[in-house]
Amino acid sequence: DSGVTQTPKHLITATGQRVTLRCSPRSGDLSVYWYQQSLDQGLQFLIQYYNGEERAKGNILERFSAQQFPDLHSELNLSSLELGDSALYFCASSVVVVGDEQFFGPGTRLTVL
Amino acid sequence: QQQVKQSPQSLIVQKGGISIINCAYENTAFDYFPWYQQFPGKGPALLIAIRPDVSEKKEGRFTISFNKSAKQFSLHIMDSQPGDSATYFCAASRPGSARQLTFGSGTQLTVLP
């Protein structure tokens, strides 16, 4: 158990809908990363937040957005969902200043029908 | 220049054998190279990591070999066990506050009993 929690574990929804994925980092970790894992694209970095502020963006679609709250939990919002958005979404956390290690949560499996 | 290339895509090894997975990178700015292990239905788990100032790092049965001039690094699993059967990902990150990981495409390892 990495100490990173993600909810829900599974999410099934329809095209055009909007969903919110939640992540709670390890105690003491200030940085949260979101990654998408799909069969054709592999593991890809989406976005990073550090202590409430957006720090870096990767291959994140404009339909996707994220935020990190004062208690350091983070939410990834996916809107206008398409079939191709079906994937595993992982969040990872790290203590940026102290080390580089990123610890991954168990993921949310999103299925868009 | 952000790509990390991983091979082989799949690997079958007999119990007690040595498993070797290779990765190559292009961006010389990368300075942190972790390996992650992922079991089906789970998030990636940090296995071992190395920095370019050392050529080898060993933790138990797992060893990373690093060749800075060739821009290659590899994971060696000694005395491979059926419980090691999983997907292994190499990754790399650059200096800075973002530290997002660029992942290889993964190697599915099967250790036969």
Side-chain angles (χ1 to χ4, degrees):
Chain A
D1 184 1
S2 66
V4 178
T5 60
Q6 289 186 249
T7 56
K9 190 171 179 63
H10 300 281
L11 201 47
I12 302 174
T13 188
T15 54
Q17 295 299 304
R18 172 189 171 95
V19 297
T20 297
L21 283 53
R22 182 188 170 105
C23 167
S24 292
R26 297 186 317 159
S27 177
D29 285 358
L30 300 177
S31 194
V32 170
Y33 302 77
W34 287 96
Y35 293 87
Q36 180 192 59
Q37 185 175 36
S38 61
L39 283 175
D40 55 343
Q41 296 292 327
L43 264 165
Q44 286 205 316
F45 167 71
L46 295 178
I47 195 166
Q48 181 212 4
Y49 277 80
Y50 176 72
N51 204 21
E53 294 186 4
E54 181 183 306
R55 191 57 69 97
K57 266 187 174 181
N59 298 319
I60 188 166
L61 301 171
E62 286 190 8
R63 300 182 286 108
F64 296 1
S65 65
Q67 53 185 327
Q68 185 178 28
F69 295 87
D71 66 352
L72 300 178
H73 91 271
S74 178
E75 293 181 357
L76 179 67
N77 301 294
L78 315 176
S79 61
S80 303
L81 286 167
E82 302 175 359
L83 296 177
D85 298 328
S86 296
L88 273 165
Y89 292 85
F90 291 104
C91 100
S93 73
S94 72
V95 181
V96 175
V97 175
V98 174
D100 303 297
E101 294 88 352
Q102 292 184 27
F103 297 89
F104 282 71
T108 293
R109 179 175 293 279
L110 174 65
T111 303
V112 182
L113 301 175
Chain B
Q1 266 210 330
Q2 296 299 317
Q3 202 172 14
V4 176
K5 295 183 180 180
Q6 183 172 347
S7 63
Q9 187 174 356
S10 62
L11 181 61
I12 300 175
V13 174
Q14 293 287 338
K15 178 183 175 181
I18 302 173
S19 304
I20 301 174
I21 304 171
N22 301 298
C23 282
Y25 63 97
E26 298 174 355
N27 190 341
T28 55
F30 286 143
D31 72 341
Y32 174 69
F33 302 88
W35 284 89
Y36 282 82
Q37 179 189 56
Q38 185 178 27
F39 292 103
K42 304 291 186 181
L46 180 62
L47 198 58
I48 186 173
I50 198 168
R51 295 189 183 277
D53 53 344
V54 297
S55 60
E56 186 175 283
K57 182 175 181 181
K58 184 176 180 179
E59 289 183 3
R61 296 186 294 110
F62 301 92
T63 300
I64 299 180
S65 297
F66 188 85
N67 186 329
K68 188 174 181 178
S69 61
K71 293 186 286 186
Q72 294 175 348
F73 59 109
S74 60
L75 175 69
H76 295 235
I77 306 174
M78 311 300 288
D79 188 27
S80 299
Q81 299 296 313
D84 297 330
S85 297
T87 301
Y88 292 81
F89 293 92
C90 62
S93 69
R94 296 177 300 167
S97 59
R99 281 296 189 189
Q100 66 263 39
L101 293 168
T102 299
F103 282 91
S105 55
T107 296
Q108 188 166 352
L109 172 66
T110 302
V111 181
L112 300 176

